[in-house]
Amino acid sequence: MVEDDQNLSRVIRRGLEEEGYAVDMAGDGEEGQFLAEVNPYDLIVLDWMLPKRDGVTVCQNLRRAGKTTPVLLLTARGTVTDRVRGLDSGADDYLTKPFDFDELLARLRALLRRQAPVKTTVLQVADLRLDTSTHEVSRGGQLIMLTAKEYTLLEYFMYHPGLVLSRQAIEEHAWNYDYASESNLIDVYIRRLRRKLDDPFELKLFETVKGMGYRLLAAPKDA
């Protein structure tokens, strides 16, 4: 998120993290463009009026550099001309300040669905089911309570069933720029998911691939 209003950025960051998002913050356009160029973000929330480099210029520069990361442009400028200019700069969506946080979340979910391998709000692997709109998770019809970070990890695995996800890929998706990669936090969260989603059931879905990462099996091994 690139926003120079510190009070607003703190509120939005806290709200997004409570929803399970990993959030990096930048306070001006130059810093925001640099972070967006060197990190594989899923989505960028970009204010228009920024110090050093405005959001429209940042968006134009990212698109010229071949960056296709979805951009949600935030601005107090709400005329039709402004909206057209913002979208023509390469932004994927436009939200006028002041805005309701629930609308921001809905727009973020919509942009992320466009990038997802599947477009449905309900993901299912074997008898494991996840609803991205309600954040409900169940297995075998039994509702399972997850923390925000556990949900984020599970959603990532369910968008990529059968694929081995490296520790680096998991780190980049679920933790922000300040994450200490030498820690065993990923292993801790995988154990938590297994305890909730695998241990009570005969069919085990999570697999450790030694030296490579983790995989959520798309189907039983003997299928």
Side-chain angles (χ1 to χ4, degrees), residues 32-107:
Q33 182 175 322
F34 171 76
L35 290 176
E37 288 176 339
V38 301
N39 293 292
Y41 293 118
D42 296 309
L43 191 143
I44 299 167
V45 180
L46 179 63
D47 189 30
W48 185 323
M49 303 300 294
L50 290 167
K52 297 186 179 179
R53 189 171 297 157
D54 66 79
V56 166
T57 301
V58 171
C59 192
Q60 290 172 334
N61 290 342
L62 291 176
R63 296 307 186 227
R64 292 191 189 107
K67 299 296 181 181
T68 59
T69 307
V71 172
L72 173 63
L73 195 63
L74 299 179
T75 181
R77 306 170 65 161
T79 69
V80 172
T81 301
D82 289 329
R83 292 198 297 272
V84 169
R85 184 183 172 199
L87 294 171
D88 282 347
S89 74
D92 297 88
D93 200 359
Y94 189 107
L95 189 57
T96 305
K97 298 177 181 180
F99 53 84
D100 187 272
F101 185 69
D102 286 338
E103 182 180 3
L104 173 64
L105 288 177
R107 289 175 180 267

Side-chain angles (χ1 to χ4, degrees), residues 96-125:
T96 305
K97 298 177 181 180
F99 53 84
D100 187 272
F101 185 69
D102 286 338
E103 182 180 3
L104 173 64
L105 288 177
R107 289 175 180 267
L108 296 184
R109 288 194 297 267
L111 288 173
L112 291 171
R113 278 198 302 272
R114 294 182 195 174
Q115 301 296 108
V118 293
K119 308 304 180 186
T120 178
T121 61
V122 176
L123 309 176
Q124 185 147 355
V125 174

